[in-house]
Amino acid sequence: MKQALIHREELNDVVNSMEQIQQDALHRYLAFEKERKAEDQAVALQEKMITRSSIINQHDNLAVERIINKSDLFPIAYLQAGLDVSKAVCRIAIRGRTGQLEGYGTGFLVAPNLLLTNNHVLETAESAMYAVAEFNYQDDVDFMPLEVISFRLDPDLLFMTDKALDFTLVAIEPNNSNAVAISDFGYLPLLPKPGKILEGEYVSIIQHPNGGPKAITIRENEVKFISSDFVQYVSDTEPGSSGSPVFNDQWMVVALHHAGIPDPNDNKVWIANEGIRISSIIQYVGEKRSSLEKEASRKQVDQLLAVVMPGTMAPPMEVGVLDANWYADATGYDRVFLGSRFTVPLPTLSDTMMEDVAKTADGNVVLDYTHFSIAMSKSRRLAFFTAVNIDGNQLIDVKRSNDRWYFDPRIDQAYQLGNEFYKSNDIDRGHLVRRRDPNWGIDAVRANEHTFHFTNSSPQHKNFNQKVWLDLEDYLLDNARDYNMKVSLFTGPVFGDSDRVYRGAQIPNQFWKVAVMVKDGEKMSATAYLQTQEDLIGGDLEFVYGQFETYQVPITKIEKLTGLDFGELRQADPLAKGQVARVQKSGDLSL
C-alpha cells in the first residue's frame, strides 16, 4: 500500500509539473501577442529574411517563394526527405523501478548515440535508466506494424538536463541485446545558428501522439511567435508528443516540442503549442560541457558539437570532421559564373603537380566546397590553388563566431597540415579562400563553415595575414560589394625549394592572387598580385620587418613561379604586353 501511495504521489507531481509548463507557455503566448500588437517589425523583417535564406539549400528553388508568398508547392523529394529524417525519431517508454509502464514520450537521435527529449519526459538519470527507446514503432504502407527495435539508455555515460529549457540529453547504448546498431537509424544534426524559421512560416512535427505509432503534422502549422528561447506554433499534437523534433521546410530541427498552450478561458481547449529553440539548447550544452566530471561524458558532448554547425557560442573543440552531408551538395567553383560568354576554367596543373595532387577516393583532383574549389599538394600538405566565385550583389555578413577547423574526410588526413603546426607561435592559419568571399546567396552560412578546412589554410605570419594580405583581400571584396560585381578569384602559395622548414613542413615565402571580372559587360579583365612574407619570418618566427608593398605582376609571372597554366586569361591581363610590374602601396591598388 505504501509503495502504491508513493507511486501516486510521483504521478501527481508529474501532472502538476506539466500543468505549470503549460501555464508558463500560456503566459509567454499572451505576452508575445500583446507585444506584437504594439511593435512595428518592418525594419527587422529584411534582416531576418537574409538570415533565413542563407541556410536554404541553393537547389531548393521554391523555398524562398514558400517563405515570401506562402506557396504550398514542394518538390516531390520533400516527402522522401521527411521519411529519411523520421528514422531517428523514437517512442520513449517511461517505466518505474519495478518495470511498470508509466507513460510515453518522444525523442530523437542528435548524434551517433545521443538522444534528445524533454526534461519532463526524463527528469532524472534514474528515470532514464529504466526507460526504453523504441524505434520503428509505426505502420508500413499496408498499415501493417513494423518490427519495433528497442534500445536502453545509458545515463551513466551522459545525462544532461535543464528544467527551464525543458530538455534532457542522454546517451544511448550503441548496440541493443540483438546486436542491432543504433547507427542504423542515423541522427538529426543540430544547427545552433538562429534564423532557421520565421514567424508566419510553417513547421512539421514527427511524433508519437498518445504513445501511438509514429505520425506527422505537416503544413497548416503556422509559427506565431519566436522569442529568445521558445517558438510557438499552431499545430496538432497529443500527450506523448513531448520531446518531438519540430522541423522547418528544409527538414532542419528548429525546436524541441514540449507543451500545448491552453485557452485562458477553457483549459480543455488548446490554442497553440510551444517548443524550445535548438539554438538555446546547444548554447546551454556548450556552456555546461566543461563542468561534466567524466572525460567520457565530455567526449559525448564533443561528439554532438563536432557534427553541428557552430553558432553564437564558442565550441570547446578546435578540430573536427564535418558529417558527409556537408559535402553532398557542394557544387564548387563555377567556370561560367561571369556569364556564358566569359568562361573561366580552373588553372591546369603541370605533369609534376598531377603526380603530387591529393585525389579523392573517386579519383577527383579537385575538392568542391560551397562556391569554391581546391586542389591539394600531397608533399606540401597545402593547396596548389583555390578558386572562388564572389557575387558582390548577394554578399551576406556571416559573423565569425568560432575558430574550429576541419579535416576534409574526402582525402587522406596525412595530406592536410593540421592544428599542431600552428600552436604556440606567430603563424596564423591563413584562409586562402577568404572567409567572407563565398558568403553570398542562400548558402552563405554553409559556405562560411566550409572555409574553415585545413585544406583552405596556409601558414602565414600574423603580421602578413592580418595586415599585408588582409589589405589586398579587403580591396578585392570591397570593390565587388561596392560595384555589385561578380569576381572569380584564384589564390595560392608559391612553393619554393628555399621555403623555411618548420615542424616538418615548409612555410611558403610568397602568395599570389588572380582576380577575374567583366568590365562594362563587354571585356574580361584578369589581374595578378604577388606578395611576400619572407621578411616577416625570422629565425624564431618573430616579427622582423614591418614595411610592405603590394605588387601587381603579369599572370605569366604567377605561372612561372607556380607551374600552373591559366590559359586564355593571359590575354585578359593588362600587363600581358610585358609592361613593368607596378609596385603599389597598400590601399592604392587598381584592377
Side-chain angles (χ1 to χ4, degrees), residues 571-584:
Q571 277 63 58
D573 183 1
L575 301 184
K577 297 181 179 180
Q579 297 102 313
V580 177
R582 291 175 292 174
V583 181
Q584 301 178 318

Side-chain angles (χ1 to χ4, degrees), residues 70-355:
K70 303 297 191 297
S71 170
D72 284 329
L73 291 174
F74 284 83
I76 194 65
Y78 175 81
L79 301 177
Q80 181 61 54
L83 189 61
D84 291 342
V85 300
S86 73
K87 296 176 183 177
V89 181
C90 66
R91 181 175 74 167
I92 298 177
I94 307 166
R95 301 182 181 276
R97 300 181 189 88
T98 62
Q100 182 178 0
L101 183 65
E102 297 181 348
Y104 294 104
T106 302
F108 55 102
L109 296 168
V110 294
N113 62 322
L114 290 179
L115 186 77
L116 185 64
T117 187
N118 289 137
N119 166 271
H120 75 262
V121 173
L122 297 176
E123 190 171 359
T124 64
E126 184 180 18
S127 63
M129 183 68 71
Y130 301 117
V132 177
E134 300 173 336
F135 292 84
N136 277 0
Y137 185 57
Q138 62 193 75
D139 295 336
D140 64 16
V141 293
D142 296 319
F143 302 100
M144 296 297 293
L146 298 179
E147 179 186 359
V148 177
I149 302 177
S150 300
F151 289 81
R152 290 285 183 183
L153 304 181
D154 188 1
D156 286 339
L157 179 57
L158 177 68
F159 184 86
M160 183 183 292
T161 192
D162 182 68
K163 189 172 183 178
L165 290 178
D166 196 16
F167 85 90
T168 291
L169 182 68
V170 60
I172 190 169
E173 60 182 354
N175 299 282
N176 69 5
S177 58
N178 294 320
V180 178
I182 191 66
S183 59
D184 291 349
F185 298 92
Y187 59 86
L188 306 178
L190 303 182
L191 176 67
K193 184 175 179 64
K196 297 181 290 294
I197 194 74
L198 295 176
E199 292 171 359
E201 284 193 84
Y202 297 89
V203 294
S204 299
I205 305 175
I206 298 178
Q207 57 191 295
H208 284 279
N210 289 313
K214 191 181 298 178
I216 182 173
T217 61
I218 186 169
R219 308 308 288 162
E220 298 308 320
N221 311 308
E222 185 177 1
V223 174
K224 290 295 187 180
F225 305 112
I226 299 176
S227 69
S228 58
D229 293 326
F230 299 95
V231 180
Q232 296 189 341
Y233 38 87
V234 179
S235 184
D236 294 323
T237 58
E238 298 285 351
S241 300
S242 293
S244 301
V246 181
F247 299 93
N248 65 13
D249 281 349
Q250 289 72 50
W251 292 109
M252 295 177 182
V253 185
V254 300
L256 172 67
H257 175 74
H258 83 132
I261 301 175
D263 189 319
N265 301 315
D266 185 353
N267 59 12
K268 295 181 181 180
V269 177
W270 305 97
I271 58 176
N273 285 278
E274 183 179 77
I276 304 96
R277 293 179 66 172
I278 290 300
S279 53
S280 298
I281 293 174
I282 288 297
Q283 182 166 353
Y284 180 97
V285 172
E287 291 172 351
K288 295 295 182 181
R289 183 260 183 198
S290 60
S291 65
L292 295 171
E293 295 181 0
K294 297 179 182 178
E295 182 180 358
S297 299
R298 293 192 294 272
K299 286 184 177 179
Q300 289 298 310
V301 172
D302 290 345
Q303 182 177 237
L304 170 66
L305 298 177
V307 299
V308 303
M309 184 174 169
T312 58
M313 54 91 181
M317 294 179 63
E318 284 191 322
V319 179
V321 177
L322 287 173
D323 184 85
N325 292 334
W326 281 79
Y327 307 97
D329 298 323
T331 55
Y333 172 83
D334 182 0
R335 58 187 291 156
V336 295
F337 180 69
L338 301 182
S340 57
R341 295 170 48 210
F342 306 102
T343 301
V344 183
L346 294 173
T348 302
L349 299 174
S350 68
D351 292 342
T352 302
M353 297 165 85
M354 284 297 295
E355 293 176 1

Side-chain angles (χ1 to χ4, degrees), residues 21 43 66 83 112 119 139 190 389 402 468 492 532 559 576:
I21 290 173
V43 176
R66 288 198 298 272
L83 189 61
N119 166 271
D139 295 336
L190 303 182
N389 303 123
N402 79 97
V468 184
T532 179
E559 290 179 316

Side-chain angles (χ1 to χ4, degrees), residues 532-567:
T532 179
Q533 65 172 357
E534 183 174 7
D535 290 336
L536 299 178
I537 306 295
D540 54 2
L541 292 180
E542 291 183 352
F543 180 72
V544 176
Y545 178 63
Q547 299 299 317
F548 67 89
E549 293 176 326
T550 299
Y551 296 81
Q552 182 176 343
V553 300
I555 290 177
T556 52
K557 175 77 170 179
I558 306 299
E559 290 179 316
K560 183 177 180 180
L561 288 171
T562 63
L564 295 169
D565 185 348
F566 283 92

